Amino acid sequence: MINEKNSSRDWFIRLLKGAAVGIGGILPGLSGGVLAVIFGLYDEIIDFLANITKNFARNVRYFLPVGIGGVIGVVIFSAFVEKAFGQYEAMFTCLFIGFVVGTFPSLWKSAGKQGRSAADMSILVVSAVGLFLLMVIGGQSLTQLAPGFLTWMFSGALIGLGVIVPGMSPSNFLIYFGLYEKMSAGISAFDFSVIIPLALGGILCVLLLAKLASWLFDRFYAKMYHFILGMVIGSSLAIFPTVIFPAFSTEGLASSGLSFAMTLVFSIVMFVIGVVFSYWFSGIEQKYSK
């Protein structure tokens, strides 16, 4: 049962959470599911989608600001990608890495709520190493797919999978397939030939897999959460060799128009801002959430 709050401040907090989850859904290297876990939304979302007719009106009212925020986050960030993210990709990625680092203690606490066994820790290590290797090795290959209705449905399903499987970064796969920039451009231009199949693919994927995810968490809570924690660690570490380090190469520095020292300073500043913001947001979360 979701503990519903009626204050405008809580509504606005859920709006901000939804915007962050939406951005995480299309930000390379991150996962909307990871941010949903960090914000304490994941369990509630999965429970709602797995039992969609249970307390339907109450759940819709609760998740309405989350959904609005998600749409706002996706649309705004898609426009932002075209204008700034490509040139300053490493620095803005450092912002989100800092955000994840700052909220890592709460995620660790959630994972150990029902205790930790040797098997749980093994799952954490294997999932972290496995995803790290997959993203690093996969980042070296690129398969181009022609845009079209089915291709965008497939892309939407990947994004939906990123919500159901925290730690999976669908944007990385979209980059591998040569679809990421085209998707961002279509969303920011409100091209419904892109938006509609994306939405259909995402909704179908989430609805079909939510009940399975709910069943797994009910029966294997500690193992599932340690798996998620490993995915968070692996995907975060993989961002460094695939996104951040290339920005310090000769080509990367030429693209950004910044020196090595300025790129390093800006990256560190963005990382610190992300950590500080996440701690602040975590304090609000603890104060106004049960």
Side-chain angles (χ1 to χ4, degrees):
M1 181 72 68
I2 292 174
N3 182 24
E4 188 175 19
K5 302 186 188 311
N6 298 315
S7 71
S8 58
R9 179 176 294 183
D10 184 69
W11 196 95
F12 183 66
I13 288 173
R14 295 201 302 275
L15 182 76
L16 289 178
K17 289 180 179 181
V21 171
I23 291 172
I26 63 169
L27 179 65
L30 289 185
S31 160
V34 167
L35 294 181
V37 171
I38 289 170
F39 284 134
L41 290 172
Y42 183 79
D43 292 342
E44 296 174 344
I45 291 174
I46 294 300
D47 184 62
F48 170 42
L49 295 174
N51 306 278
I52 200 164
T53 58
K54 181 181 178 182
N55 299 317
F56 180 78
R58 167 183 276 188
N59 287 332
V60 168
R61 289 196 301 271
Y62 181 87
F63 285 113
L64 180 61
V66 178
I68 294 173
V71 172
I72 292 173
V74 168
V75 172
I76 291 179
F77 195 77
S78 293
F80 178 73
V81 164
E82 287 191 294
K83 297 187 179 298
F85 193 78
Q87 187 175 2
Y88 304 112
E89 183 177 17
M91 284 155 279
F92 285 102
T93 301
C94 284
L95 174 69
F96 280 84
I97 290 294
F99 186 83
V100 172
V101 169
T103 51
F104 187 84
S106 64
L107 184 55
W108 174 261
K109 183 178 179 181
S110 296
K113 189 181 297 183
Q114 297 184 7
R116 289 186 176 89
S117 66
D120 297 332
M121 294 303 298
S122 298
I123 290 172
L124 185 153
V125 172
V126 170
S127 60
V129 173
L131 184 61
F132 175 83
L133 293 175
L134 177 65
M135 290 178 65
V136 171
I137 295 172
Q140 298 173 356
S141 61
L142 181 66
T143 302
Q144 296 287 332
L145 293 180
F149 189 88
L150 292 179
T151 301
W152 292 128
M153 277 198 70
F154 167 73
S155 302
L158 282 176
I159 294 172
L161 198 59
V163 175
I164 297 297
V165 184
M168 174 186 170
S169 177
S171 296
N172 282 338
F173 291 98
L174 293 175
I175 289 173
Y176 303 156
F177 294 135
L179 297 170
Y180 182 73
E181 291 186 8
K182 298 181 182 71
M183 179 192 73
S184 298
I187 293 174
S188 62
F190 292 97
D191 183 349
F192 289 99
S193 67
V194 175
I195 293 173
I196 290 175
L198 274 174
L200 285 175
I203 291 170
L204 287 174
C205 178
V206 169
L207 290 178
L208 290 173
L209 296 181
K211 188 170 284 294
L212 174 61
S214 178
W215 181 86
L216 289 171
F217 272 96
D218 284 343
R219 286 158 179 77
F220 309 104
Y221 177 91
K223 289 177 173 53
M224 285 297 295
Y225 250 103
H226 281 82
F227 171 75
I228 289 172
L229 193 59
M231 298 283 274
V232 172
I233 295 171
S235 61
S236 298
L237 291 177
I239 291 174
F240 286 91
T242 57
V243 177
I244 296 175
F245 292 163
F248 291 90
S249 65
T250 303
E251 294 80 6
L253 294 174
S255 176
S256 66
L258 299 174
S259 66
F260 182 93
M262 290 298 292
T263 301
L264 180 62
V265 169
F266 283 154
S267 297
I268 293 173
V269 169
M270 295 295 272
F271 175 81
V272 171
I273 290 173
V275 173
V276 171
F277 178 81
S278 66
Y279 272 114
W280 170 77
F281 207 96
S282 295
I284 292 179
E285 168 73 10
Q286 293 175 6
K287 184 177 181 180
Y288 293 101
S289 297
K290 184 175 178 180

